[in-house]
Amino acid sequence: MLRSCTAGLRSLWALRGGREGVPRPSTDLQPAPRLFSAEKVIHTDCALPNPSWSKDLKLLFDQFMKKCEDGSWERLPSYRHRCAQISEDFKNYFLEQKPVKEGRLSQVRLFTRGFEDGLGFEYVIFKNNDEKRTVCLFQGGPYLQGVPGFVHGGAIAAIIDTALALCAAVPGKAIMTANLNINFKRPVPLCSVVVINSQLDKLEGRKLFVSCNVQSVDEKTVYSEATGLFIKLDPEKKSF
Ligand SMILES: CCCCCCCCCC(=O)SCCNC(=O)CCNC(=O)[C@H](O)C(C)(C)COP(=O)(O)OP(=O)(O)OC[C@H]1O[C@@H](n2cnc3c(N)ncnc32)[C@H](O)[C@@H]1OP(=O)(O)O
């Protein structure tokens, strides 16, 4: 079963022209693909439909793209390889941090974008700045399994952290998660689509309080509810 899935993914990868910067999916029988050098890394917006997206995900994506037309909502682009400017922002705060060795830089990926198309986190986030809220459309792929047939709680935590972070995000300010509290109410079926509705509840000095729920597309099932506290890093502190 795994073998035929992998074969399907290989042909999917091939159909997409073996995109530059996208390693070929591996099987048990082959060594892990060699990752390419930094100069070959390309920045593809991953928050756009790809062939692994289900009908539900594409439908919801189209609905939100329509809402973007009057400017009330915006789609947030998302990249596998972190943009240099963001890294620079964080470097200012973490002076003691040892930089990633040059030879491994091209391997560095945003965790939730670290899997090839369809295998891990497929998601797109839309933001309504006036209403201080975001909607994340998420499809958890087969590599995110926890209990058989369901998405791993850690993967749910990761996508919730991401959705809340982008809801709390302040342009030009570096923020980090200080606290994340999740109630897992129902298991999320693997390869299904869920909707994560997040909102900024309160801003108190450097503290941003956010909350979200994870719902089925028909809104009949609430899978999880979470609250998060994000802290704007203090430029005066510089080093932690
Ligand atoms: C472009 C790609 C976008 C992708 C999005 C991905 C999002 C991923 C986000 C993450 O996962 S970040 C990684 C996980 N988080 C961390 O590793 C953070 C580790 N913690 C820290 O580095 C520091 O604790 C932190 C920066 C969060 C805070 O340190 P500070 O020294 O700036 O804050 P400070 O300790 O002075 O506290 C500031 C205020 O926050 C409060 N506070 C801090 N931590 C708290 C906590 N855990 N719970 C409750 N309150 C807290 C603290 O009491 C205080 O309140 P008051 O201003 O009212 O006095």
Side-chain angles (χ1 to χ4, degrees):
M1 180 60 190
L2 177 63
R3 195 167 295 275
S4 64
C5 272
T6 318
L9 283 159
R10 278 174 171 281
S11 25
L12 182 65
W13 176 85
L15 265 178
R16 301 195 70 193
R19 229 178 37 199
E20 189 185 3
V22 178
R24 195 174 177 196
S26 61
T27 66
D28 299 347
L29 301 172
Q30 291 188 318
R34 201 170 66 80
L35 289 160
F36 29 74
S37 59
E39 64 271 17
K40 277 205 173 163
V41 167
I42 53 164
H43 297 281
T44 305
D45 186 350
C46 300
L48 288 169
N50 69 51
S52 79
W53 283 27
S54 66
K55 211 170 128 197
D56 275 353
L57 186 54
K58 276 185 275 189
L59 206 69
L60 282 167
F61 175 83
D62 289 343
Q63 284 171 7
F64 273 91
M65 287 307 284
K66 274 248 166 292
K67 292 187 187 197
C68 292
E69 285 172 7
D70 65 5
S72 55
W73 288 84
E74 61 171 320
R75 183 188 66 85
L76 303 181
S78 172
Y79 301 96
R80 186 164 281 150
H81 304 278
R82 299 197 72 178
C83 97
Q85 184 52 47
I86 294 175
S87 302
E88 284 304 316
D89 288 349
F90 276 90
K91 240 188 250 167
N92 291 335
Y93 294 98
F94 298 99
L95 299 175
E96 307 297 320
Q97 190 199 15
K98 294 242 180 341
V100 177
K101 288 203 179 95
E102 190 63 40
R104 304 214 70 174
L105 269 179
S106 64
Q107 296 178 322
V108 173
R109 292 175 174 207
L110 180 64
F111 173 45
T112 50
R113 293 299 185 192
F115 299 83
E116 302 318 321
D117 290 354
L119 293 178
F121 299 84
E122 288 297 335
Y123 65 98
V124 53
I125 298 178
F126 292 90
K127 187 161 194 174
N128 186 316
N129 283 303
D130 290 345
E131 294 176 9
K132 298 179 173 37
R133 65 190 184 103
T134 56
V135 171
C136 171
L137 313 176
F138 168 60
Q139 177 183 295
Y143 280 20
L144 303 187
Q145 177 168 265
V147 169
F150 296 98
V151 180
H152 194 291
I156 294 168
I159 194 68
I160 284 177
D161 191 16
T162 303
L164 289 176
L166 290 171
C167 184
V170 184
K173 302 267 184 222
I175 62 167
M176 286 191 93
T177 320
N179 182 271
L180 189 58
N181 195 309
I182 302 175
N183 287 316
F184 296 100
K185 299 167 91 75
R186 294 274 180 280
V188 175
L190 208 57
C191 302
S192 70
V193 176
V194 297
V195 179
I196 306 172
N197 300 291
S198 309
Q199 63 192 49
L200 176 64
D201 297 321
K202 194 170 57 167
L203 182 57
E204 207 178 270
R206 292 195 290 126
K207 295 183 286 189
L208 299 132
F209 295 86
V210 278
S211 61
C212 73
N213 62 39
V214 181
Q215 286 186 331
S216 55
V217 173
D218 64 9
E219 300 182 358
K220 286 187 179 153
T221 308
V222 176
Y223 293 108
S224 309
E225 288 173 337
T227 57
L229 168 64
F230 289 78
I231 309 284
K232 276 187 233 172
L233 301 187
D234 181 353
E236 298 303 312
K237 287 196 175 173
K238 290 288 180 196
S239 176
F240 292 88

